[in-house]
Amino acid sequence: MIALGLEGSANKLGVGVILHPPQGGPAQILANIRHTFVPPPGEGFLPKDTAKHHRSWVVRLVRHALREAGIVVADVDCICYTKGPGMGAPLQSVAVSARILSLLWHKALVGVNHCVGHIEMGREITGAQNPVVLYVSGGNTQVIAYASQRYRIFGEVLDIAVGNCLDRFARTLNISNDPAPGYNIEQMAKKGRHLLDLPYTVKGMDCTFAGILTSIDALAAKLEQNPTGWTDKTTSDVITREDLCFSLQETVFAMLVEITERAMAHVGSSQVLIVGGVGCNERLQEMMGIMARERGGNVYATDERFCIDNGIMIAHAGLLAYQMGFVTPLQDSTCTQRFRTDEVLVKWRG
């Protein structure tokens, strides 16, 4: 079976084509095309501008994906799209595009939970069997484990997602959004040498990032008054922009490692799977790896082709559901900004 997937819950528009062999075996990625809306430095992406970008590019990306996959419309079994969660206007643009393709091509429609798409693609690529999942992106931060045909949320952020925290600090520093603000924060953090004391807020299995962002923004304002750096009164070190990025990363990632380790202990798992756009961060993977190895476990992660929002993950998760008999009737092919990971019945897992 072959599925075409459309993803556009944020500033990435992705179109993917995937094949599930009839006799089982690994899924075959036939095409994985993506185009990103990049706003100017110091600005975020507005929903209306992002939706306009998606509408402008979707036809070109679908054509490109079919051409790269070497298939024709008749080969496609279903059209999968991101139902949510995400930003309202971009989600609507993708949902409308999926409906049009479904009607034009007379294909079944499958609405997919964005978070489940990340998890299933991560499991497929890495081969992780039953891991604790750390899902970290611009819109979500969750620690998840599978039980009784649901992806159960063991812990999550209580305010802003970790990716949003990093992106907003990039705007504070007026860092470029190309290729991504979080990536540019990561590169600057590699040059940081001084760890500053920042709020560390873990509440049981949950965490918060708004306070640490307020604190680091205040330090950035202080740095702006002294562009060459200011001296820390406690250590007498000269603090730079790179030190701020380093300190922010180290602190928020330590919080994520803590709640992930607690979930591993609770469910008795030795595997951690990191998914979502922030999962590309090499320092996060390194810190999680240290923790997992100390527990005799392993960390699984993918590169930017699959960590960052993409259409192939929607095609894969949608085809798994379609093979179990799930379809989305046209009248129900809506989208929603709030679609919890644990709302999905994962019938394809025993």
Side-chain angles (χ1 to χ4, degrees):
M1 283 188 170
I2 294 177
L4 182 141
L6 301 176
E7 154 58 24
S9 59
N11 68 325
K12 310 284 192 305
L13 176 65
V15 179
V17 181
I18 200 163
L19 167 68
H20 287 185
Q23 305 303 322
Q28 297 178 23
I29 298 169
L30 305 182
N32 188 19
I33 312 300
R34 182 169 53 213
H35 195 272
T36 304
F37 171 63
V38 181
E43 297 182 15
F45 46 91
L46 298 175
K48 63 181 179 66
D49 296 333
T50 308
K52 183 178 179 181
H53 164 269
H54 291 0
R55 292 193 299 270
S56 300
W57 279 89
V58 66
V59 173
R60 277 176 279 185
L61 263 59
V62 169
R63 285 175 173 167
H64 187 180
L66 292 177
R67 189 164 55 248
E68 182 172 303
I71 63 171
V72 295
V73 170
D75 298 323
V76 177
D77 291 286
C78 61
I79 308 295
C80 310
Y81 76 99
T82 303
K83 187 176 180 68
M87 300 171 66
L91 282 172
Q92 287 178 350
S93 296
V94 170
V96 169
S97 301
R99 283 186 219 127
I100 291 172
L101 292 178
S102 174
L103 290 170
L104 284 175
W105 295 351
H106 304 288
K107 303 295 180 181
L109 198 57
V110 181
V112 176
N113 180 285
H114 178 86
C115 315
V116 172
H118 272 298
I119 295 170
E120 292 301 346
M121 199 69 233
R123 290 181 61 239
E124 178 68 25
I125 295 299
T126 64
Q129 296 301 310
N130 191 28
V132 166
V133 179
L134 175 64
Y135 171 36
V136 278
S137 69
N140 299 275
T141 301
Q142 297 176 343
V143 177
I144 301 161
Y146 173 80
S148 302
Q149 294 192 315
R150 301 274 179 180
Y151 283 116
R152 312 288 177 173
I153 300 172
F154 278 72
E156 59 190 321
V157 69
L158 299 177
D159 42 38
I160 60 172
V162 63
N164 186 254
C165 176
L166 296 172
D167 290 352
R168 285 168 64 172
F169 186 59
R171 295 204 293 273
T172 297
L173 295 184
N174 205 37
I175 295 173
S176 172
N177 289 313
D178 187 18
Y183 173 81
N184 293 328
I185 287 274
E186 179 185 1
Q187 303 316 306
M188 291 181 66
K190 291 177 180 178
K191 302 175 184 176
R193 294 293 178 268
H194 306 298
L195 181 63
L196 304 177
D197 186 23
L198 295 173
Y200 184 101
T201 312
V202 172
K203 302 181 179 182
M205 284 297 297
D206 300 324
C207 54
T208 69
F209 298 120
I212 190 173
L213 179 61
T214 300
S215 180
I216 198 78
D217 278 348
L219 295 177
K222 186 176 181 180
L223 187 61
E224 189 175 355
Q225 297 170 0
N226 303 274
T228 57
W230 52 272
T231 303
D232 186 285
K233 293 181 179 180
T234 304
T235 63
S236 299
D237 293 325
V238 176
I239 306 303
T240 64
R241 286 158 55 98
E242 288 76 12
D243 292 327
L244 296 184
C245 294
F246 170 71
S247 299
L248 178 60
Q249 267 201 177
E250 292 295 302
T251 306
V252 298
F253 291 169
M255 294 160 65
L256 295 174
V257 170
E258 178 183 336
I259 61 175
T260 303
E261 182 175 18
R262 196 172 291 129
M264 291 176 70
H266 182 79
V267 302
S269 175
S270 62
Q271 296 181 336
V272 179
L273 172 63
I274 307 176
V275 299
V278 183
C280 294
N281 190 293
E282 294 177 353
R283 178 55 180 160
L284 175 59
Q285 294 179 14
E286 180 185 18
M287 292 173 69
M288 197 66 71
I290 293 171
M291 178 274 290
R293 285 192 296 274
E294 289 178 350
R295 298 182 59 85
N298 298 293
V299 170
Y300 297 84
T302 64
D303 58 30
E304 69 278 358
R305 293 173 299 167
F306 307 109
C307 263
I308 298 173
D309 291 350
N310 58 85
I312 201 69
M313 71 182 195
I314 301 303
H316 179 56
L319 192 51
L320 288 173
Y322 180 71
Q323 289 171 323
M324 298 302 297
F326 177 80
V327 294
T328 302
L330 186 65
Q331 64 270 22
D332 295 332
S333 59
T334 56
C335 56
T336 173
Q337 291 180 267
R338 292 175 173 83
F339 189 5
R340 298 277 293 177
T341 311
D342 50 10
E343 291 179 29
V344 179
L345 181 62
V346 187
K347 292 181 67 175
W348 53 90
R349 292 191 63 176

